[in-house]
Amino acid sequence: MSNARATHFSRRGMLAAGGALGLGAVLAACGDDDAKSGGSDADASKAAATPAAGPWTFKDDRGTTAKADKVPSSIVAFIGVAAALHDYGVDVKGVFGPTTTKDGKADVQAGDLDVTKVTVLGNEWGQFNIEKYAALAPDLLVTTMFDNAGTLWYVPEESKEKILGVGAPTVGISVYDIQLDQPLQRMLELAKTLGADTASAKVTAAKKAFEDAAARLRAATKAKPNIKVLAGSAAQDIFYVSGSNLSTDLEYFKALGVNFVEPAADVLKASGGWYENLSWENVDKYEADIIMMDNRTSAIQPADITEATWKQLPAVKADQVIARNPEPILSYDKCTPLLTSLAEAIENAKKVS
């Protein structure tokens, strides 16, 4: 796309705003720099994920049908996708996107994936080592999509043709302007085609737990409909307030009754509908009883915010600030705690706005 560079710079703010797009820090210059299952249930799931023989196809959310002569076994994926597939017992060989923190630990987006056992093709925006990618002899590349144009998330536009030229089919799972339960189902469907036992007791229990958590959140919002929730993210000079549309998690939470703070549509328009930037002096523009803060490493965490205006917010003073991952790992196991955390916060919230 000719405007891809400008689009991705816009997404930086969207990601930091909790709109699940872009990076909270300045984007790195583009370049080619540089599953471990636990417990008996996980081992059983992993064993069930042995690829079957024969041709393989999967129609992704672009409407594109990925094809291979056999079920892919040398999979490369965006880190959050790799983490989700890992939860279903499907291993990947390579990952790209925020995989490790500066101290070498696994990034929050890695979930339970053992990042020491995968080849990291790039840890920051714009990084995707094509030579390492080709050396893996990939037979599938999977990532998410945060627009309706079919843009593959974290696959650099400037080197996309070379990456696609390696020859592996690609799959894009949309998380754009749809509720969370939909991409969760799509990831489950993909995992099944890759050999996962999606009818296992482990997966069935995880899905049931997710549904129970959704019911709990619905009940909490019904009991306390006036509790206002703000989705925010902190950067050095800007506080981002996310609108509840477009983001897959916020759309789902809203459908369950969460009363979100909503920036005006004309204000959101400047970011493509995702967020509003506020200076720290104006961080008190909106009243909120609960603040959900971006917990990814690209954002400044609440404990590290020193701005006086932040510390004076009623929700902050009442200790009613919780974490949010604007890029949920798309497995039922990883999304259930997101629902549970918000439900518990609403259940226990004092009206402070």
Side-chain angles (χ1 to χ4, degrees):
M1 294 172 59
S2 61
N3 64 345
R5 189 65 174 172
T7 299
H8 287 314
F9 269 105
S10 174
R11 287 179 188 171
R12 171 190 59 191
M14 295 171 191
L15 179 70
L21 298 178
L23 296 172
V26 176
L27 296 181
C30 61
D32 293 333
D33 295 332
D34 214 331
K36 180 179 181 182
S37 298
S40 57
D41 286 343
D43 292 338
S45 179
K46 182 176 180 179
T50 302
W56 173 87
T57 63
F58 183 82
K59 187 174 182 179
D60 76 357
D61 294 337
R62 298 170 296 182
T64 299
T65 299
K67 300 178 181 180
D69 293 336
K70 61 180 181 178
V71 176
S73 59
S74 183
I75 303 169
V76 171
F78 174 70
I79 183 62
V81 171
L85 291 175
H86 172 77
D87 283 353
Y88 293 125
V90 177
D91 290 330
V92 306
K93 289 189 176 180
V95 298
F96 54 96
T99 303
T100 58
T101 58
K102 292 180 179 179
D103 59 4
K105 295 180 180 179
D107 190 274
V108 65
Q109 295 192 64
D112 294 331
L113 186 68
D114 186 343
V115 298
T116 68
K117 294 187 176 181
V118 292
T119 298
V120 180
L121 305 177
N123 199 52
E124 298 179 9
W125 184 266
Q127 293 182 347
F128 194 110
N129 191 307
I130 300 174
E131 289 74 21
K132 285 185 178 181
Y133 176 60
L136 292 173
D139 49 17
L140 179 63
L141 185 151
V142 191
T143 187
T144 46
M145 300 183 299
F146 287 96
D147 59 28
N148 57 10
T151 305
L152 297 175
W153 186 232
Y154 263 79
V155 174
E157 286 293 317
E158 57 274 11
S159 55
K160 182 178 70 174
E161 294 307 316
K162 290 182 180 180
I163 294 168
L164 298 182
V166 172
T170 61
V171 164
I173 300 296
S174 178
V175 288
Y176 175 76
D177 197 17
I178 53 176
Q179 294 178 25
L180 180 60
D181 55 337
Q182 297 177 61
L184 272 172
Q185 180 62 32
R186 291 292 283 150
M187 189 64 70
L188 186 70
E189 292 168 0
L190 174 62
K192 182 177 181 180
T193 73
L194 296 173
D197 181 4
T198 57
S200 69
K202 178 183 177 182
V203 173
T204 301
K207 188 171 184 180
K208 176 64 163 56
F210 176 84
E211 292 167 349
D212 289 346
R216 178 180 175 182
L217 179 56
R218 189 189 300 276
T221 62
K222 186 175 181 179
K224 291 187 172 182
N226 294 324
I227 294 296
K228 293 192 290 186
V229 180
L230 182 148
S233 185
Q236 183 173 352
D237 300 316
I238 300 173
F239 183 81
Y240 299 87
V241 178
S242 182
S244 64
N245 293 325
L246 304 186
S247 296
T248 189
D249 62 330
L250 300 187
E251 285 201 13
Y252 187 58
F253 299 158
K254 181 169 65 174
L256 294 174
V258 176
N259 180 11
F260 280 109
V261 169
E262 297 282 2
D266 60 335
V267 174
L268 292 173
K269 187 176 180 180
S271 67
W274 290 92
Y275 64 92
E276 175 181 2
N277 334 344
L278 297 176
S279 66
W280 283 103
E281 290 76 13
N282 295 317
V283 74
D284 57 356
K285 177 178 179 179
Y286 297 105
E287 294 184 344
D289 302 297
I290 295 171
I291 301 176
M292 302 174 68
M293 289 294 287
D294 186 343
N295 72 345
R296 292 163 302 171
T297 52
S298 57
I300 299 173
Q301 297 307 300
D304 298 320
I305 299 174
T306 58
E307 302 291 340
T309 47
W310 163 262
K311 294 181 177 181
Q312 291 304 309
L313 293 177
V316 175
K317 294 174 71 173
D319 197 24
Q320 294 181 172
V321 178
I322 64 172
R324 173 199 173 211
N325 186 346
E327 290 185 80
I329 294 171
L330 297 174
S331 73
Y332 291 104
D333 181 69
K334 293 300 179 293
C335 286
T336 295
L338 309 181
L339 292 163
T340 302
S341 174
L342 182 53
E344 183 176 0
I346 293 174
E347 290 165 353
N348 296 328
K350 298 176 181 178
K351 183 65 180 174
V352 295
S353 64

